[in-house]
């Protein structure tokens, strides 16, 4: 082990591998944290952003300058201050120029700088041009006034500012994101005027809490550049700002046109893509998951940067419910992470609460202003010192001229004669002849008097905490008024977004579903539709129809007794000939559809076979998501009969009317039938073996409500049974029943009136 820690060869250091890797990783981590990923609380900038702003200022690319090629700016910054990749540097520059990314852009770009639809669609830096925006003045106007410290650049040939003297809290105004080693930051943008109001309040009340600073008209919360509304509850926002961590939710702003009933989306959440939202909604429409939407289009232009139009199929579509569904399914509602992890004044990363963060910035601003005043005071003293030398020259002008003309070393002679300092004598020797007139003497006196008045004012401010505090507040308020604007993101109390099924989103309206003998189905609006008057394919004709609501359950029954279900809205319109059910359902070969039922999930369905067996189930039990359907009626030795659907009521004094083809009629209490999801059921009416062989079968049964009337149809006529005529047929389940009359020995069907 002794050899391991020895110095080894000259110029080399021997270390254990563990020690070396720990040290190297720690150095790398600290470099990423301090010099790459996290912003500083003072100016709110990362190093690359700070260097870009400073580099453009050095190039003279101010707000009134002619824009220069971005490639020149990037090249200059890389060569002088930031020796890293040009693409990363240019992307940082682009970000500061995009008004949909930065709440207050620091760079004004010309050319293609990206779009909200695709922020990275910007042109190459050889094509774009840029200059500093007016907001950059908040960072640069005090730079040359001794307000910040400088450090050598990467090669020691130049100096660059460690921070920029921000006049407003841009750390919160523009926010930013970054990922370092083991930590990250995510600061949403805020409103400058609100931040200024909070900073002024904090100057007067240094111990103010975050809750106090978030009262109107101070920092209410994020203010996004894309105008989306914030729906996070107020208490949750305050809690997140107190901790410095949390989640906020923003939502698109929309309205419905009063005439066309179209839904117009006018603002999207920050950092969302309109094209991706349209793509997502379009995909759901193709899957027929949004049947209530007829079309969606993008009408955004220069006058309306965001304008997405959703066209409902019907004017009766519930727009609020539809938008709630879209909020839950798409980026029309987005969560934003809040993490106030920044480099404090001590250079250490820390998660700040709002009050702590603003307090740090106020302290930074206080130091900046004090340094500016002290720098100005020193500059005034230096200038007054020079002016004193000039006044001494004017009082002894002839002697000074003589010394300069006759002396071999005028500088030393002047110092000996008038006790000039080196600075004074240098200034005197540089004076031009034209400045030796009496008029210039008067100007010097006036300049000195003005400078002394200014110096005394500065000293009064520096010596008086009250005056210094007043100056701080006035400057912050004035800058906020000049550079700030009104809030863009309103706070809205909204219900939580919910996902709805296609049926839930549909407008409840009356519809008629028609089924043909060959298994073609279609749907028409209203209950007045006459299915027999519709056009059918050659060789096809009407089989069955059912009337209900567009949001009801729809069940089809095949001759094998299986149940199938489809959403009513998904069927083809009755304006055409419909569509074959076999295109969407998969019955067994040789099986055909015999009927359909429609109603609420709790509605009852009377199922029976021609052998005289049956049971009761609910429509909800008949629903199947499989194209092959689900088992339902077991016909035993008979055939499946068309089920009878009806709404359950209390008290359930229903009678089940059972008739056979030979004219026997039996009415039994509905309560005698079992409730089951599938199977053969129980014996409903007795059909003797001999009669079965001779062809007697049970007809499709019907359910008769209290006080209902029963129509018994033969091939050519019908009879109406009610009152006592009905009661004489009431009996127990599984009995034979009695015949209706001699004239009705061959019954074709029963009907409830």
């Amino acid at each position: 082990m002794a050899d391991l820690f020895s110095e080894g060869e000259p110029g080399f250091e021997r270390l254990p591998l563990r020690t070396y890797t720990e040290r190297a990783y720690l150095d790398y981590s600290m470099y990423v944290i301090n010099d790459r990923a996290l912003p500083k609380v003072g100016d709110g900038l990362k190093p690359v952003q700070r260097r870009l702003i400073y580099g453009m200022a050095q190039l003279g690319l101010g707000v009134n300058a002619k824009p220069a090629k971005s490639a020149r700016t990037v090249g200059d910054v890389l060569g002088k201050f930031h020796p890293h990749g040009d693409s990363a540097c240019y992307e940082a520059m682009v970000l500061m120029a995009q008004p949909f990314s930065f709440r207050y852009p620091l760079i004004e770009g010309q050319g293609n700088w990206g779009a909200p639809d695709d922020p990275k669609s910007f042109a190459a830096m050889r094509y774009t041009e840029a200059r500093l925006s007016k907001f950059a003045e908040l960072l640069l106007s005090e730079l040359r006034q001794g307000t910040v410290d400088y450090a050598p650049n990467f090669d020691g040939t130049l100096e660059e500012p460690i921070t920029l003297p921000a006049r407003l809290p841009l750390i919160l105004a523009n926010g930013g994101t970054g990922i370092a080693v083991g930590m990250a930051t995510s600061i949403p943008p805020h409103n400058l005027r609100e931040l200024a109001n909070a900073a002024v309040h904090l100057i007067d009340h240094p111990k103010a809490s975050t809750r106090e600073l978030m009262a109107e008209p101070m920092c209410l919360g994020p203010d996004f550049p894309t105008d989306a509304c914030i729906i996070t509850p107020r208490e949750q926002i305050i809690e997140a700002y107190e901790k410095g961590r949390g989640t906020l939710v923003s939502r698109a702003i929309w309205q419905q046109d009063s005439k066309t009933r179209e839904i117009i989306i006018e603002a999207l959440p920050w950092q969302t893509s309109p094209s991706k939202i349209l793509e997502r909604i379009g995909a759901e429409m193709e899957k027929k998951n949004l049947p209530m939407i007829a079309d969606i289009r993008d009408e955004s232009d220069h006058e309306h940067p965001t304008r997405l139009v959703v066209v409902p199929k019907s004017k009766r579509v519930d727009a609020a419910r539809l938008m709630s569904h879209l909020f839950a399914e798409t980026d029309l509602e987005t969560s934003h992470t809040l993490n106030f992890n920044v480099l404090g004044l001590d250079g250490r990363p820390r998660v700040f609460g709002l009050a702590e963060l603003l307090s740090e910035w106020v302290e930074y601003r206080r130091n900046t202003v004090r340094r500016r005043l002290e720098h100005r005071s020193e500059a005034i003293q230096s200038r007054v010192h020079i002016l004193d030398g000039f006044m001494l020259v004017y009082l002894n002008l002839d002697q000074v001229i003589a010394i300069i003309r006759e002396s071999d070393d005028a500088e030393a002679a002047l110092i000996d004669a008038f006790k000039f300092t080196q600075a004074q004598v240098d200034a005197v020797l540089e004076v031009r002849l034209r400045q030796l007139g009496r008029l210039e003497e008067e100007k010097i006196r006036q300049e000195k008097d003005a400078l002394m008045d200014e110096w005394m004012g500065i000293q009064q401010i520096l010596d008086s905490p009250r005056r210094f505090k007043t100056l701080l507040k006035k400057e912050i308020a004035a800058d906020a008024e000049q550079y700030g604007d009104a809030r863009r993101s309103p706070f809205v109390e909204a219900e939580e977004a919910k996902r709805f099924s296609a049926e839930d989103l549909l407008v409840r309206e009356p519809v008629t579903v028609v089924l043909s003998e060959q298994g073609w189905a279609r749907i028409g609006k209203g209950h007045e539709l006459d299915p027999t008057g519709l056009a059918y394919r050659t060789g096809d004709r009407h089989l069955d129809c059912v009337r209900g609501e567009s949001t009801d359950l729809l069940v089809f029954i095949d001759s094998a007794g299986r149940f199938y279900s489809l959403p009513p809205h998904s069927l083809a319109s009755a304006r055409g000939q419909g569509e074959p059910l076999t295109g969407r359902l998969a019955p067994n070969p040789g099986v055909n559809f015999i009927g359909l039922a429609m109603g609420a999930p709790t509605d009852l369905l009377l199922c029976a076979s021609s052998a005289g067996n049956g049971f009761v189930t609910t429509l909800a039990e008949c629903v199947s998501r499989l194209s092959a359907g689900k088992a339902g009626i077991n016909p035993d030795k008979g055939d499946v009969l068309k089920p009878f659907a009806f709404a359950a009521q209390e008290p359930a004094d229903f009678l089940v009317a059972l008739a056979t083809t030979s004219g026997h009629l039996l009415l039994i209490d509905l309560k005698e039938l079992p409730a089951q999801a599938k199977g053969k059921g129980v014996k409903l009416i007795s059909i003797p073996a001999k009669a079965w062989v001779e062809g007697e079968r049970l007809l499709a049964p019907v359910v008769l409500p209290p006080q209902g009337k029963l129509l018994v149809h033969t091939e050519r006529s019908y009879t109406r049974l009610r009152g006592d005529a009905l009661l004489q047929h009431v009996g127990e389940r599984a009995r034979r029943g009695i015949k209706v009359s001699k004239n009705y020995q061959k019954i074709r069907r029963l009907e409830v009136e």
Side-chain angles (χ1 to χ4, degrees):
M1 292 297 293
D3 293 340
L4 185 64
F5 293 97
S6 61
E7 293 185 3
E9 298 180 16
F12 291 89
E13 179 184 7
R14 297 185 59 131
L15 290 172
L17 181 60
R18 178 175 179 177
T19 302
Y20 170 76
T21 53
E22 286 181 355
R23 181 186 298 176
Y25 188 72
L26 181 61
D27 291 344
Y28 163 75
S29 302
M30 294 307 298
Y31 169 73
V32 172
I33 292 170
N34 293 317
D35 293 329
R36 295 296 292 272
L38 299 187
K40 289 187 176 180
V41 69
D43 55 12
L45 299 175
K46 299 178 185 180
V48 63
Q49 296 172 328
R50 185 179 304 111
R51 289 163 177 167
L52 280 165
I53 298 298
Y54 180 68
M56 294 181 73
Q58 292 294 94
L59 289 172
L61 299 177
V63 64
N64 297 318
K66 180 182 178 182
K69 286 289 184 182
S70 301
R72 180 183 178 189
T73 298
V74 172
D76 199 70
V77 170
L78 295 184
K80 292 180 178 179
F81 310 113
H82 196 71
H84 298 284
D86 58 344
S87 60
C89 183
Y90 182 49
E91 284 192 23
M93 182 178 178
V94 169
L95 192 69
M96 291 191 289
Q98 292 176 336
F100 49 84
S101 296
F102 263 45
R103 180 66 174 82
Y104 301 96
L106 299 175
I107 294 176
E108 181 183 331
Q110 290 189 5
N112 178 13
W113 288 81
D117 196 42
D118 185 4
K120 293 195 175 183
S121 62
F122 49 84
M125 58 183 172
R126 62 182 177 273
Y127 299 118
T128 60
E129 297 180 348
R131 62 185 176 189
L132 294 171
S133 72
K134 68 173 184 176
F135 295 110
E137 295 175 354
L138 292 170
L139 293 165
L140 298 170
S141 62
E142 298 176 343
L143 185 61
R144 303 296 182 185
Q145 300 178 27
T147 52
V148 295
D149 295 326
Y150 285 76
N153 68 339
F154 64 91
D155 61 1
T157 59
L158 297 170
E159 288 192 334
E160 60 177 323
I162 297 176
T163 58
L164 296 179
R167 284 153 48 187
L168 288 174
L170 295 180
I171 181 67
L172 288 169
N174 278 324
T177 59
I179 300 176
V181 179
M183 61 180 63
T185 184
S186 180
I187 306 174
H190 295 76
N191 186 273
L192 266 182
R193 290 180 179 173
E194 292 180 4
L195 292 174
N197 291 337
V200 168
H201 182 82
L202 200 57
I203 292 171
D204 287 330
H205 307 86
K207 295 184 179 181
S209 66
T210 295
R211 185 175 292 273
E212 292 177 38
L213 296 176
M214 295 189 71
E216 196 171 0
M218 291 178 282
C219 183
L220 302 178
D223 188 23
F224 299 110
T226 53
D227 302 355
C229 64
I230 300 169
I231 64 170
T232 304
R234 189 70 193 154
E235 282 301 316
Q236 187 175 332
I237 296 176
I238 294 175
E239 181 181 353
Y241 275 72
E242 287 175 338
K243 297 179 179 178
R245 295 180 184 271
T247 302
L248 304 172
V249 180
S250 66
R251 180 179 287 183
I253 296 177
W254 64 279
Q255 64 176 352
Q256 189 170 23
D257 190 281
S258 57
K259 295 182 179 179
T260 63
R261 309 304 292 171
E262 293 178 341
I263 299 171
I264 302 171
I265 300 171
E266 299 176 331
L268 296 176
W270 186 44
Q271 295 179 330
T272 58
S273 169
S275 63
K276 290 183 179 179
I277 292 175
L278 291 175
E279 182 180 345
R280 178 64 186 275
I281 297 176
E284 292 297 308
M285 291 173 64
E286 287 184 3
K287 296 177 184 177
K288 297 189 176 180
N289 293 336
L290 295 172
M292 71 301 300
I293 296 180
D295 188 23
I296 181 168
R297 57 182 184 268
D298 187 355
E299 295 183 353
S300 304
D301 53 26
H302 291 291
E303 293 185 5
H304 305 91
T306 300
R307 183 180 172 87
L308 305 182
V309 180
V310 179
V311 183
K313 275 191 175 180
S314 170
K315 292 184 178 181
R316 289 178 286 180
V317 169
D318 189 338
R321 178 173 285 196
L322 172 58
M323 289 304 299
S324 179
H325 178 78
L326 293 179
F327 289 144
E329 288 290 332
T330 69
D331 286 341
L332 288 173
E333 179 177 302
T334 304
S335 296
H336 305 278
T337 302
L338 185 145
N339 184 7
F340 289 161
N341 187 11
V342 300
L343 297 174
L345 295 180
D346 57 1
R348 297 180 179 180
R350 185 159 64 92
V351 177
F352 293 84
L354 176 65
E356 296 175 293
L357 188 59
L358 277 177
S359 295
E360 285 270 307
W361 182 85
V362 167
E363 181 62 27
Y364 175 79
R365 183 60 188 163
R366 183 180 286 111
N367 293 336
T368 300
V369 173
R370 183 174 296 278
R371 290 183 62 168
R372 188 191 75 203
L373 294 176
E374 290 174 349
H375 180 269
R376 180 57 181 166
S377 176
E378 292 174 0
I380 290 175
Q381 290 177 6
S382 298
R383 180 60 179 170
V384 169
H385 181 63
I386 299 299
L387 295 177
D388 287 341
F390 286 164
M391 291 302 300
L392 192 58
V393 168
Y394 283 114
L395 292 175
N396 303 277
L397 186 57
D398 294 337
Q399 185 180 354
V400 169
I401 293 174
I403 291 174
I404 294 174
R405 290 183 63 186
E406 298 172 2
S407 176
D408 294 333
D409 188 355
E411 181 177 310
L414 288 173
I415 292 175
D416 291 339
F418 300 101
K419 307 302 179 185
F420 284 143
T421 64
Q422 186 65 45
Q424 287 176 322
V425 74
D426 289 342
V428 167
L429 292 175
E430 291 178 1
V431 172
R432 297 179 181 181
L433 290 176
R434 71 172 64 180
Q435 295 176 288
L436 299 179
R438 184 165 296 280
L439 249 145
E440 292 297 328
E441 181 181 353
E442 184 63 27
K443 288 182 180 179
I444 290 174
R445 292 182 185 277
Q446 293 176 358
E447 181 182 354
K448 181 180 178 181
D449 292 342
L451 288 175
M452 290 305 298
D453 289 343
E454 182 183 354
W455 182 82
M456 291 181 63
I458 291 175
Q459 290 304 119
Q460 288 176 347
I461 293 174
L462 289 173
D463 295 339
S464 170
R466 182 178 60 81
R467 292 187 179 185
F468 188 82
K469 185 187 298 184
T470 301
L471 176 65
L472 273 180
K473 294 190 295 182
K474 283 184 177 180
E475 289 185 348
I476 291 174
D479 287 338
E481 182 64 28
Q482 179 180 357
Y483 295 98
D485 56 4
R487 166 169 281 276
R488 294 183 183 178
S489 299
F491 293 90
V492 177
E493 293 184 6
E495 295 182 357
E496 183 180 355
K498 296 181 181 179
R499 292 177 173 86
F500 294 95
S501 64
E503 291 76 14
D504 293 333
L505 291 171
L506 287 174
V507 176
R508 190 174 182 86
E509 58 184 356
V511 293
T512 301
V513 180
V514 181
L515 177 66
S516 73
E517 289 183 349
Q518 294 183 2
W520 286 59
R522 48 186 148 171
I523 185 172
K525 293 183 180 180
H527 289 170
E528 296 78 20
L529 180 68
D530 180 12
T532 60
L534 298 176
Y536 292 87
R537 300 168 67 249
T538 303
D540 198 7
R541 60 180 178 176
H542 171 253
L543 173 65
D544 194 11
C545 75
V546 64
R547 293 175 173 83
E549 303 290 336
S550 57
T551 55
D552 286 344
L553 294 180
L554 177 61
V555 175
F556 296 91
I557 304 95
D558 69 11
S559 56
R562 296 185 70 81
F563 296 134
Y564 307 82
S565 56
L566 289 174
H569 62 79
S570 67
L571 298 178
S573 172
R575 296 176 181 175
Q577 294 180 342
E579 61 178 332
L581 291 177
T582 52
R584 301 172 62 184
L585 304 176
N588 293 326
V591 173
N592 58 298
F593 292 95
I594 63 170
L596 69 166
M598 190 176 185
T602 56
D603 284 359
L604 300 177
L605 199 66
L606 174 58
C607 304
S609 68
S610 61
N613 301 318
F615 60 90
V616 174
T617 187
T618 63
L619 275 178
E621 291 285 353
C622 302
V623 173
S624 172
R625 300 298 180 187
L626 302 176
S627 60
K630 64 186 295 186
I633 310 167
N634 181 0
D636 195 16
K637 61 181 179 179
D639 298 322
V640 176
L641 300 176
K642 176 190 171 185
F644 185 87
F646 61 101
Q649 298 178 2
E650 292 293 342
D653 296 330
F654 290 97
L655 294 175
V656 179
L658 306 161
T660 66
T661 53
S662 64
H664 288 82
L665 177 63
L666 175 65
L667 273 68
I668 62 174
D669 193 334
L670 177 65
K671 296 176 183 177
E672 295 189 54
L673 271 66
Q676 59 189 69
K678 62 180 180 178
K680 183 174 67 173
V682 298
K683 179 66 71 175
L684 301 179
I685 189 171
S686 175
I687 300 178
K690 182 179 179 181
W692 176 264
V693 173
E694 293 175 352
E696 183 177 353
R697 300 288 186 271
L698 175 65
L699 297 171
V702 297
V703 177
L704 197 64
Q707 310 302 323
K709 302 174 186 178
L710 182 66
L711 297 181
V712 182
H713 291 264
T714 63
E715 188 173 350
R716 297 183 178 180
S717 62
Y718 70 90
T719 184
R720 181 180 287 108
L721 300 180
R722 56 186 172 185
D724 294 339
L726 272 177
L727 293 178
Q728 66 178 342
H729 293 278
V730 176
E732 296 180 357
R733 180 180 62 78
R735 294 299 177 91
R736 178 66 170 148
I738 60 176
K739 290 194 174 184
V740 178
S741 68
K742 292 182 179 181
N743 297 328
Y744 286 84
Q745 294 185 7
K746 292 185 178 181
I747 301 175
R748 297 297 185 188
R749 63 186 175 90
L750 300 179
E751 186 180 353
V752 177
E753 187 179 49

